[in-house]
Amino acid sequence: MASQQNNETAKSLPEIDWRSLKGPFDIIGDVHGCADELIELLDRLGYAVAVEGEGASKRVATRAPAGRTAFFVGDFVDRGPKNSDAMRIVMEMAARGQARAVIGNHDDKFLRWLKGHDVKLAHGLEKTVAQFGEEPEEFRAAARAYLEGLPSYAWLDEGRLIVAHAGIKAEMIGRNTTAIRHFCLYGDTSGKNDAQGLPERFNWAADYGGETMIVYGHTPVSEPAWQGNSVCIDTGCVFGGQLTALRWPEKEIVSVPAREDYAVLRRGFGLPPRRPANGDS
Ligand code: MN
């Protein structure tokens, strides 16, 4: 498989080895356009963020607590009420060195739309596209450049911590291929649809026995879900749940409630089943 792996890494994927970054971090779950809840959560974490002005003169003012960095698990956009404001906040914090992020599957699909690819406007992307249609071209170009630079996972704090949108397997850590990128964005899937017509997912973290702490989102759960050295912090804000942060290295949870149910969660809250032992991979 070495030659295949070489072909994959030759695509110059964004760098994942950020072990020299030690934090402390405030790792934030799937935002999905919930900008008001994001501002409230950041406030609880000691940041001060305000969206000021209207239209082309809209600006974000941000301040971060000394020494701390916000870290987003991805899925900034889709389904929620304020997708462009959510992007604007993340991008402004990143530009000021106050935040870092990995890309989520929704951001990746939005990026393909920004690049002019033919993508289906569904699963909340239609809202993001409508809102970005009212933004200046420069802002769309800046969003594209920002998303293009995001890694599929980040290996942090001297190897003690990983942030990956949908998770990662122990044997993938330190490697960077398109297959691994796909796992980090979508998690463990069978490639088939379930009875509801939704992509079949499996609970990769049930089998994770590694030492490295893995913080991820992607799967809406009613409370942060700890399994071994992993925790899912997507508490489904856009579905009327909460927006959650994990403070690292404190391992302290901070959450704010959703102000509304912005979208319907067809799958229901909770982790998917464990992959059957004899299941095809
Ligand atoms: Mn998500």
Side-chain angles (χ1 to χ4, degrees):
M1 299 306 281
S3 63
Q4 189 193 345
Q5 200 174 312
N6 287 342
N7 286 341
E8 286 176 344
T9 48
K11 289 191 174 182
S12 69
L13 297 165
E15 180 58 51
I16 54 85
D17 188 352
W18 296 5
R19 281 178 290 176
S20 59
L21 291 182
K22 291 179 191 152
F25 300 112
D26 300 306
I27 310 168
I28 297 171
D30 299 40
V31 174
H32 285 300
C34 296
D36 294 331
E37 289 86 348
L38 175 58
I39 291 168
E40 187 182 341
L41 178 63
L42 286 165
D43 185 68
R44 290 270 311 274
L45 294 165
Y47 299 73
V49 173
V51 180
E52 297 162 350
E54 285 298 325
S57 61
K58 219 175 214 188
R59 294 284 178 274
V60 176
T62 67
R63 206 177 60 232
R68 299 197 71 92
T69 306
F71 209 116
F72 293 92
V73 306
D75 276 7
F76 317 119
V77 296
D78 292 359
R79 297 195 168 111
K82 296 185 176 178
N83 297 288
S84 46
D85 280 354
M87 273 308 300
R88 196 176 256 112
I89 292 166
V90 171
M91 289 163 60
E92 184 62 29
M93 291 180 75
R96 291 169 179 267
Q98 298 169 352
R100 295 190 175 251
V102 295
I103 196 163
N105 58 306
H106 283 266
D107 312 315
D108 186 63
K109 193 173 172 197
F110 176 49
L111 173 59
R112 279 183 275 139
W113 178 81
L114 286 167
K115 289 160 126 178
H117 295 197
D118 185 21
V119 293
K120 197 172 164 202
L121 299 183
H123 309 295
L125 179 60
E126 69 282 1
K127 283 194 189 178
T128 305
V129 163
Q131 288 166 17
F132 270 78
E134 293 171 16
E135 295 288 344
E137 172 54 32
E138 305 80 66
F139 183 60
R140 284 194 294 275
R144 173 182 167 166
Y146 176 69
L147 293 175
E148 279 181 314
L150 294 183
S152 52
Y153 73 97
W155 199 18
L156 298 155
D157 195 8
E158 297 183 328
R160 293 184 194 98
L161 171 68
I162 282 184
V163 178
H165 177 65
I168 192 167
K169 288 183 174 181
E171 63 266 28
M172 298 174 174
I173 296 174
R175 297 169 54 216
N176 193 11
T177 68
T178 52
I180 291 169
R181 185 173 191 278
H182 189 273
F183 190 98
C184 292
L185 268 70
Y186 296 93
D188 190 7
T189 59
S190 65
K192 298 175 197 154
N193 286 345
D194 65 14
Q196 284 183 285
L198 301 168
E200 187 180 34
R201 294 181 179 180
F202 296 115
N203 181 4
W204 63 272
D207 299 311
Y208 176 68
E211 293 282 303
T212 304
M213 183 72 198
I214 299 176
V215 183
Y216 66 106
H218 188 62
T219 301
V221 286
S222 51
E223 295 292 333
W226 298 83
Q227 295 177 96
N229 286 320
S230 77
V231 62
C232 176
I233 60 166
D234 177 10
T235 44
C237 188
V238 79
F239 302 112
Q242 309 171 79
L243 186 63
T244 291
L246 174 81
R247 311 194 84 163
W248 177 269
E250 299 88 345
K251 294 194 183 175
E252 185 187 311
I253 294 284
V254 180
S255 299
V256 300
R259 296 182 183 186
E260 284 180 43
D261 296 4
Y262 302 105
V264 174
L265 179 58
R266 289 170 58 203
R267 215 186 272 271
F269 284 85
L271 297 170
R274 194 177 202 136
R275 181 181 275 277
N278 59 350
D280 49 338
S281 62

